[in-house]
Amino acid sequence: MDLTFLDSLVQAVFENWYIVLPFSILMYFGARFFEAVTLFLVGAAIGFFYIFPIVNNQFADFIGGLSEPIQNALPIIVALIIAVAFLAVYKVAVFILVALAAGGLVYFFLKIVVDYLSANVEQLSGFLSSSAMTYVIIFVAILAAIAGGIVGSKKSKSVFTAISIILGSVGIVLSVYVLTMNMAFDVPTNELTQNISAIHISAMGILVILLSIFGLKRAFRQAA
C-alpha cells in the first residue's frame, strides 16, 4: 500500500521521537487535569501531526533549500506556533481544534481506504485515482470538520480530554513503530511508508483503538 503522503509525518516523528514520545505520554495520562495545558499540548500535536506534513509537502522545494538544523527544527517550530495560536484565541480554539482533528482523521482514514482500494480493486482504480475522488475526500473531511467543531464547542473539557488521549495514543504507537522498525529491524526511515503491509497498518490501528478506549474509560471513570 502506498502511503507516501505520510512520509513527512513519519520522518518528523523519527527525527523528534524524544519529544513526540514524552509529549504523547503526557497527553495520554494527564489529559483530564489541566484544560489549558491540554489545549497547548493538543494544539502542538495538531501542528506536528497534521499542519507540518501539509506545509512540508506544499513547500518542499523551499524547505529542501534550508540548512539541516533548521529542517530538523521546523516540525517543532510549526507545532509551537499552532499551540501558541490556540492559546491566544482560546474562545475559538475549541471549534478549530475539534474541526482540525475531526477533518484530519476523516481525511487520513479515507485516504488510506481509497489508496488501498485503488491498488487492489482494478475496476475502481481509475475513478479512485482521479482528481474528482480527491475533491470528494476533501469535501467529506470538511463536513466532518464543521460537524465536529460545532459538537465539540459545546463540551470543551470533555472534548479536550478525549482528543488528547486519542492523539496521545497515536503519538505513542507511531513513535514506538518508527523506532522499532528503524532500530530493531534496520529499516530506513524513508522506506517506512513505502508499500507498508496491511498487517502493520491493522496492528497500529488496533493498538491506537485499544489505547484510546482504555484511556478514555480511565479518564472519565475517575472524573465521575
Side-chain angles (χ1 to χ4, degrees):
M1 190 187 304
D2 183 10
L3 294 178
T4 53
F5 71 99
L6 288 177
D7 279 344
S8 299
L9 173 59
V10 175
Q11 186 74 28
V13 169
F14 180 73
E15 292 175 351
N16 302 278
W17 66 269
Y18 50 90
I19 295 176
V20 175
L21 187 56
F23 263 54
S24 296
I25 293 173
L26 181 59
M27 290 171 64
Y28 184 80
F29 288 102
R32 70 185 184 89
F33 295 109
F34 304 102
E35 188 171 351
V37 175
T38 300
L39 173 63
F40 181 86
L41 291 177
V42 175
I46 292 291
F48 188 92
F49 287 122
Y50 295 134
I51 306 301
F52 170 72
I54 295 173
V55 171
N56 193 52
N57 288 332
Q58 293 296 321
F59 302 97
D61 293 337
F62 173 76
I63 294 174
L66 300 175
S67 64
E68 186 174 347
I70 294 179
Q71 291 186 43
N72 292 338
L74 193 58
I76 301 173
I77 294 173
V78 172
L80 291 177
I81 290 174
I82 300 299
V84 171
F86 274 23
L87 287 177
V89 290
Y90 184 83
K91 291 184 179 180
V92 297
V94 178
F95 182 91
I96 296 174
L97 171 63
V98 180
L100 284 173
L105 288 173
V106 169
Y107 175 83
F108 284 128
F109 174 77
L110 291 178
K111 181 67 174 174
I112 291 173
V113 172
V114 168
D115 284 349
Y116 177 79
L117 293 176
S118 179
N120 293 276
V121 182
E122 186 176 351
Q123 296 86 341
L124 299 176
S125 60
F127 172 69
L128 294 178
S129 301
S130 66
S131 58
M133 192 65 223
T134 301
Y135 292 132
V136 170
I137 293 175
I138 294 174
F139 178 73
V140 173
I142 291 174
L143 289 180
I146 295 173
I150 293 174
V151 174
S153 61
K154 295 180 179 180
K155 296 184 178 181
S156 62
K157 188 168 185 178
S158 297
V159 169
F160 284 143
T161 298
I163 293 179
S164 182
I165 290 172
I166 293 171
L167 288 178
S169 301
V170 173
I172 292 171
V173 171
L174 189 56
S175 298
V176 171
Y177 173 76
V178 173
L179 289 173
T180 301
M181 295 300 293
N182 191 275
M183 294 182 176
F185 296 97
D186 198 28
V187 178
T189 307
N190 60 3
E191 295 181 7
L192 285 175
T193 55
Q194 297 176 10
N195 299 318
I196 187 171
S197 70
I199 295 178
H200 286 193
I201 291 291
S202 301
M204 285 191 288
I206 291 172
L207 286 175
V208 168
I209 291 172
L210 291 177
L211 275 177
S212 298
I213 292 174
F214 176 78
L216 291 170
K217 288 180 63 177
R218 177 183 56 83
F220 289 108
R221 182 174 63 247
Q222 291 175 350

